[in-house]
Amino acid sequence: VDNILGESVFPSTDRYIGPAIKNAGVWEQDEVNWIFKNSLEGMTCINAGATVGYHAMMFSKAVGPSGKVYAYEPSSEIFELLEINLLNQNMKNVKAIKKALGASQGEIRLYLNEINCGDNRCFDPKKVEDMHGTFRDHGFAEEPRHEQVELTTLDLEFGNDKVDIIFMDVQGFEFEVLDGAEGILEKHRPKIILEFSPDWYDNIGVDYRKHLLDLEEKYSYKISMLGKELKPVNHINEVVDLMKKTKTQNIDILLDCR
């Protein structure tokens, strides 16, 4: 039971998000704080990697009846629960879309975590080993289950329609999503919130420094760290150095044109 949303449905196998909410009454407090500290009434928000809809429903309350939330979740198992939660919460301003977002259109293999509904991945989990261990320690089977899912881009989905916020938790696929949103970034400069995981990017061959530099040079995006307070930084290395010092696996960052 969440302090704001009340009851939500999670997979019976989930050992992370649901139990955390049960114990603390909230999931990812810093992100929730940002959503409700800012005036988002009437805005259009994209939630990439929506899982069962937790953040999509938070944004639904924040943007109000004049706003719109598009919740993208590619997993067949999780998408069913997303639709149930939206129906139970009467979230009429949220549209659930069963697709993965990336840099191209087609299909992609989605690897399925057995115990963490927020950790399905669009790359082979065997490629990543981090401070929490191997793919097995993260909850994937010895031979990870997977399904083929539809893949699309934000530019194809929205065309010239205005987008105000892109909120992503897509497990290392963040810059693929942004590569498929160049038209939106150019026209609308939406605020972007993403989970930043440099060790993962290094493991799967993503040059995050180049991507972030491109965002700054092309669209004038600047970086801030989400926390109890928003902390602007001059360079992504400040974030990486702090993560190494504090032994943090991932951190939420905000990109905006301040």
Side-chain angles (χ1 to χ4, degrees), residues 3 15 27 55 98 126 140 184 199 215:
N3 292 336
R15 299 183 191 173
W27 172 250
H55 289 101
K98 189 180 175 296
K126 292 183 178 181
F140 289 91
I184 289 173
D199 287 348
L215 288 169

Side-chain angles (χ1 to χ4, degrees), residues 89-109:
Q89 295 276 354
N90 196 30
M91 297 290 182
K92 295 181 179 179
N93 61 347
V94 183
K95 181 178 180 180
I97 302 154
K98 189 180 175 296
K99 297 178 184 179
L101 291 169
S104 60
Q105 186 179 35
E107 289 189 343
I108 194 167
R109 179 174 289 186

Side-chain angles (χ1 to χ4, degrees), residues 39-223:
S39 179
L40 307 184
E41 185 76 26
M43 289 189 177
T44 296
C45 172
I46 295 163
N47 182 191
T51 64
V52 300
Y54 182 79
H55 289 101
M57 292 188 288
M58 293 292 185
F59 274 110
S60 171
K61 290 181 176 293
V63 303
S66 62
K68 189 72 177 178
V69 180
Y70 296 88
Y72 285 83
E73 174 50 50
S75 164
S76 298
E77 297 172 0
I78 305 303
F79 187 80
E80 290 183 11
L81 301 181
L82 168 61
E83 290 191 304
I84 290 170
N85 283 328
L86 296 179
L87 181 63
N88 289 346
Q89 295 276 354
N90 196 30
M91 297 290 182
K92 295 181 179 179
N93 61 347
V94 183
K95 181 178 180 180
I97 302 154
K98 189 180 175 296
K99 297 178 184 179
L101 291 169
S104 60
Q105 186 179 35
E107 289 189 343
I108 194 167
R109 179 174 289 186
L110 181 70
Y111 292 87
L112 306 173
N113 194 299
E114 304 296 333
I115 59 174
N116 184 351
C117 66
D119 192 23
N120 295 331
R121 306 179 190 179
C122 288
F123 63 87
D124 188 346
K126 292 183 178 181
K127 291 183 177 181
V128 170
E129 184 170 341
D130 56 30
M131 66 179 64
H132 299 301
T134 68
F135 69 97
R136 301 180 196 87
D137 300 306
H138 280 275
F140 289 91
E142 183 67 30
E143 289 300 325
R145 289 189 303 125
H146 56 79
E147 67 170 308
Q148 288 293 114
V149 300
E150 185 175 354
L151 177 70
T152 189
T153 74
L154 285 175
D155 281 344
L156 287 172
E157 292 285 286
F158 288 88
N160 292 319
D161 293 348
K162 192 171 190 301
V163 173
D164 299 292
I165 300 168
I166 301 174
F167 180 92
M168 292 185 284
D169 190 351
V170 289
Q171 304 304 93
F173 217 58
E174 292 79 13
F175 296 108
E176 289 282 331
V177 175
L178 293 178
D179 282 348
E182 290 184 343
I184 289 173
L185 302 184
E186 178 64 39
K187 294 183 184 77
H188 306 302
R189 302 294 202 275
K191 295 182 184 297
I192 302 165
I193 296 176
L194 59 87
E195 187 177 67
F196 178 69
S197 308
D199 287 348
W200 284 26
Y201 300 136
D202 289 341
N203 282 177
I204 61 179
V206 174
D207 189 346
Y208 63 85
R209 290 182 175 85
K210 181 181 184 303
H211 280 285
L212 291 169
L213 182 61
D214 286 347
L215 288 169
E216 180 178 4
E217 292 181 344
K218 290 181 181 179
Y219 313 116
S220 302
Y221 275 102
K222 303 297 183 184
I223 304 169

